Amino acid sequence: MYPSIPDVETGEVTRLIMQQRAKATRAAVIEGAASIFEEVGYGNASLSDVTERASVTKGALYFHFKSKENLALAVIAEQHNIVRVAGEKIAAAGLPALQTMIAMCRTFGQQLLDEPIVRAGIRLTFEASAFNADVKGPYSDWVATMEMLTHQAQLEGDVRPDVVAADFARYLVASFTGVQMVSNVLTERRDVLKRIDDMWRFMMPAIAPVRPQDSGTP
Amino acid sequence: MYPSIPDVETGEVTRLIMQQRAKATRAAVIEGAASIFEEVGYGNASLSDVTERASVTKGALYFHFKSKENLALAVIAEQHNIVRVAGEKIAAAGLPALQTMIAMCRTFGQQLLDEPIVRAGIRLTFEASAFNADVKGPYSDWVATMEMLTHQAQLEGDVRPDVVAADFARYLVASFTGVQMVSNVLTERRDVLKRIDDMWRFMMPAIAPVRPQDSGTP
């Protein structure tokens, strides 16, 4: 007989169930926090609002997050993750790189309309200086992704070879950031998808390859 | 004899001196507040830090500003005023409209490096959602100014007639906002002037008039 085995298994099952529960609680807290941060901003959010919205105890919240700042950073991380996963799905579709870049921007725009965690994460990213959070990471990530895609688009002949990929990627990310931010300030994002399309229209001529009929030597 | 006249004059002089002093105190408070807000952000700034930095009493501060929010809005208004006055000076130089627009962006960029009130005002504008302030005004102002200049640049032949001035103006303001914001996050604005020049380089081909040799029918 191996009396210790069922014990170990029961212990293992219990551990897995508890892990599962802890994970679910953490997700519920992040979701509740996102909804509160999105509504009232970092400064006006209180942790007791979050526990109430998430239907968890204060103890459960503090088990996962030491402070409001900690919780805000987790919402930003989760937002970045959601947008990145969507971006990876688009990349996996195997479209040409330039189309991939455009689709990523449009999808991010749509998520700003539909996904509470994305809306909250972006609001917190803009407010980050108010709580001294370092938000370099997500920006650097996007610049790196867009630089890689710009290089690929150059190989595919959709972006002129003399465009400096690093400069264009940085400009695209900065421009997108401003476009959605100003759309939020002026129209509560009602026109964000149109403004993202405008952005691409205003950028495209700078990167589009020179066609033979444009060169002046037909 | 007219005994009342010297009295009235003395009263008038006293009133003017007091007005002058109140103005100086208000300016000192705004300057002190800007320096604190720029350093620590809205959330971490305290009014007693501001009175200390500005060397004024609490009473003097509260005479002019009812709350921290009130004071932050005054810093934003003063920032917008400083940038607008610089813009008007550029406009008065009578350059072609497109050059005026480029010069306004560069000057704003330089002020973000040099002027504490401008730096503080922009930080507060981004943090505005954290204290529920409405910052539509400055953005709308800039979009209107840039739209007017784009129209003028079209009349002067420097911007293609088929560019929708309102859409381009909105894009320019949004793009500029993102460019300086991301420059701040990633490099503490060390590269802001280069990024503003890059922005214009990446926008120009979309608005530049088609020269005869580009049209394919030379």
Side-chain angles (χ1 to χ4, degrees):
Chain A
M1 308 306 266
Y2 307 94
S4 67
I5 290 173
D7 273 5
V8 167
E9 276 179 346
T10 309
E12 179 66 11
V13 168
T14 309
R15 205 178 61 80
L16 283 173
I17 289 174
M18 285 183 67
Q19 255 184 10
Q20 198 66 20
R21 273 194 204 148
K23 246 182 159 171
T25 305
R26 192 178 185 278
V29 171
I30 288 184
E31 216 167 290
S35 118
I36 296 288
F37 283 133
E38 202 223 320
E39 261 173 51
V40 301
Y42 182 80
N44 297 312
S46 82
L47 291 183
S48 45
D49 291 342
V50 173
T51 54
E52 201 177 301
R53 184 70 55 95
S55 305
V56 300
T57 62
K58 275 221 162 138
L61 186 147
Y62 282 110
F63 175 76
H64 292 285
F65 304 100
K66 285 190 309 278
S67 64
K68 184 160 85 164
E69 189 185 333
N70 221 254
L71 190 49
L73 291 174
V75 171
I76 292 176
E78 185 57 24
Q79 168 259 306
H80 186 48
N81 195 43
I82 289 172
V83 179
R84 198 166 43 187
V85 166
E88 278 161 12
K89 222 181 257 177
I90 295 166
L95 294 169
L98 184 59
Q99 270 176 265
T100 300
M101 293 162 84
I102 295 172
M104 281 179 176
C105 291
R106 282 200 183 132
T107 302
F108 198 160
Q110 192 63 52
Q111 289 178 317
L112 281 166
L113 294 173
D114 299 339
E115 302 257 10
I117 293 182
V118 175
R119 299 162 68 93
I122 290 300
R123 177 167 184 166
L124 289 169
T125 300
F126 289 144
E127 294 176 5
S129 64
F131 57 100
N132 288 319
D134 186 351
V135 289
K136 271 195 188 68
Y139 287 107
S140 302
D141 261 19
W142 281 114
V143 173
T145 300
M146 290 302 177
E147 183 177 345
M148 196 200 67
L149 287 166
T150 304
H151 277 303
Q152 202 184 317
Q154 288 177 313
L155 293 176
E156 291 165 355
D158 290 329
V159 169
R160 288 213 325 259
D162 61 331
V163 168
V164 179
D167 287 348
F168 177 67
R170 172 69 174 280
Y171 176 60
L172 172 57
V173 170
S175 194
F176 180 87
T177 301
V179 162
Q180 54 97 347
M181 187 199 185
V182 173
S183 164
N184 188 31
V185 171
L186 292 181
T187 74
E188 285 157 353
R189 296 210 182 97
R190 277 189 301 278
D191 68 359
V192 72
L193 297 178
K194 170 191 163 29
R195 298 302 170 183
I196 292 171
D197 284 351
D198 279 1
M199 173 188 86
W200 276 104
R201 245 205 325 279
F202 284 122
M203 271 180 335
M204 206 59 94
I207 60 169
V210 181
R211 290 162 303 155
Q213 68 266 35
D214 295 338
S215 72
T217 52
Chain B
M1 307 303 268
Y2 307 96
S4 69
I5 291 171
D7 272 5
V8 168
E9 277 179 342
T10 311
E12 180 64 13
V13 167
T14 310
R15 206 178 60 80
L16 284 173
I17 289 172
M18 285 182 67
Q19 256 184 8
Q20 199 66 18
R21 272 192 205 150
K23 246 182 157 170
T25 305
R26 192 177 185 278
V29 171
I30 288 183
E31 213 165 294
S35 118
I36 296 288
F37 283 133
E38 202 224 320
E39 261 172 54
V40 301
Y42 183 80
N44 297 312
S46 81
L47 291 183
S48 47
D49 290 343
V50 173
T51 54
E52 201 177 302
R53 184 70 55 95
S55 305
V56 299
T57 62
K58 277 220 162 139
L61 186 146
Y62 282 108
F63 175 76
H64 292 284
F65 304 101
K66 285 191 308 280
S67 63
K68 184 160 86 164
E69 189 185 332
N70 222 255
L71 189 50
L73 291 174
V75 171
I76 291 175
E78 185 58 24
Q79 168 258 306
H80 186 49
N81 194 43
I82 290 172
V83 179
R84 199 166 43 187
V85 166
E88 279 161 10
K89 220 181 256 178
I90 294 165
L95 295 168
L98 183 59
Q99 270 176 266
T100 301
M101 294 163 83
I102 296 171
M104 280 178 176
C105 291
R106 281 200 183 132
T107 303
F108 198 160
Q110 193 63 52
Q111 288 178 317
L112 281 166
L113 295 173
D114 299 339
E115 302 256 10
I117 293 181
V118 174
R119 298 163 69 95
I122 290 301
R123 177 167 184 165
L124 289 169
T125 300
F126 289 144
E127 294 176 4
S129 64
F131 56 101
N132 288 319
D134 186 352
V135 289
K136 271 195 189 69
Y139 288 107
S140 303
D141 261 19
W142 280 113
V143 173
T145 299
M146 290 302 178
E147 183 177 345
M148 196 199 68
L149 286 166
T150 304
H151 277 303
Q152 203 183 316
Q154 287 177 314
L155 293 175
E156 292 166 354
D158 291 329
V159 169
R160 289 214 325 258
D162 61 331
V163 168
V164 179
D167 287 349
F168 177 68
R170 171 71 173 280
Y171 176 61
L172 172 57
V173 170
S175 193
F176 181 87
T177 301
V179 162
Q180 55 97 349
M181 188 200 185
V182 173
S183 165
N184 188 32
V185 171
L186 292 181
T187 73
E188 284 158 352
R189 295 210 182 96
R190 277 189 301 278
D191 67 0
V192 71
L193 297 178
K194 170 191 164 26
R195 298 301 171 184
I196 292 171
D197 284 350
D198 279 1
M199 173 187 85
W200 276 104
R201 247 205 325 279
F202 284 122
M203 271 181 333
M204 206 58 96
I207 60 169
V210 181
R211 291 162 301 154
Q213 67 267 34
D214 295 337
S215 70
T217 52

